[in-house]
Amino acid sequence: SFLERGGKIRLITGDHLWVRDAKKADEAYRNREDEASQISKNIENEINAFKQTNNYNSLGLFGWLIENNYLEMKIGVYKPELKENDMDGLHHKVGIFKDDNDNILTFRGGLNESDQANRMADGIEVNMSWLGESSTNKKIERAEQTFSDHWNDKSKVLNVYPLPDAV
């Protein structure tokens, strides 16, 4: 699985979080174990142990991913000068997956049933590096650079804050 192969998730989300999600993220970050003990853990045993608990639900999984250093989250908020343009909160979705062979899959967008999604005519675009198309690879490079800029708080449109500080 993704985690068993050393997969890590970095997520930037908007500041409109459910209170229970924000509390769970804050609790999970505070419960993180030190790096030395984290390195020595057996990932398969962690996953199996988690599945056997009563917390096998989306909120429990969310907290478990953070506590065990599989998920790192930051909060993105549009810069104040852009809020005047009727931007309620961070809505766009971008994903980047890379394997051991440097094959990359990116997606941009998503389909959901929210009012904001309906106003914005949500859609999804998927790009795969192994197709070898120049235009696709440029989109992938752009997606990686944009995410890196956001993640490192170098974005022209977002201020990005790490958790748990942002909570």
Side-chain angles (χ1 to χ4, degrees):
S1 85
F2 181 74
L3 298 180
E4 290 168 329
R5 294 182 184 156
K8 301 284 183 184
I9 304 164
R10 293 189 308 167
L11 176 68
I12 300 172
T13 185
D15 62 341
H16 297 286
L17 296 175
W18 290 97
V19 171
R20 67 184 176 131
D21 294 345
K23 285 181 179 179
K24 178 55 89 173
D26 185 52
E27 173 188 328
Y29 269 101
R30 294 181 194 290
N31 290 337
R32 276 190 165 174
E33 296 179 344
D34 65 61
E35 191 172 329
S37 67
Q38 184 65 33
I39 292 170
S40 67
K41 287 186 174 181
N42 180 315
I43 295 172
E44 187 174 345
N45 289 340
E46 290 176 20
I47 293 169
N48 289 335
F50 176 75
K51 287 179 181 177
Q52 293 173 9
T53 69
N54 292 332
N55 292 329
Y56 195 62
N57 57 56
S58 58
L59 188 58
L61 178 59
F62 172 67
W64 183 87
L65 288 168
I66 291 172
E67 279 184 38
N68 291 281
N69 293 306
Y70 297 118
L71 171 60
E72 190 171 354
M73 253 179 92
K74 294 187 178 185
I75 302 295
V77 179
Y78 284 107
K79 294 195 176 198
E81 60 270 21
L82 296 175
K83 287 213 176 232
E84 298 171 9
N85 295 330
D86 196 32
M87 294 183 177
D88 292 335
L90 187 61
H91 183 75
H92 70 277
K93 299 152 193 77
V94 177
I96 303 168
F97 296 88
K98 187 183 293 188
D99 69 15
D100 294 339
N101 297 319
D102 286 329
N103 292 310
I104 303 170
L105 179 142
T106 66
F107 71 85
R108 180 181 188 95
L111 301 173
N112 64 52
E113 299 293 323
S114 71
D115 288 338
Q116 187 170 4
N118 289 332
R119 284 194 314 269
M120 300 175 92
D122 267 2
I124 190 164
E125 174 186 301
V126 179
N127 296 293
M128 297 159 283
S129 67
W130 56 89
L131 297 178
E133 297 173 4
S134 175
S135 62
T136 297
N137 290 337
K138 286 179 184 174
K139 290 177 185 177
I140 290 170
E141 289 171 16
R142 197 167 42 247
E144 289 184 303
Q145 185 61 54
T146 299
F147 186 85
S148 177
D149 288 347
H150 289 336
W151 189 258
N152 295 306
D153 199 20
K154 295 179 181 177
S155 170
K156 294 177 182 175
V157 296
L158 296 178
N159 290 318
V160 179
Y161 307 96
L163 286 177
D165 300 342
V167 176

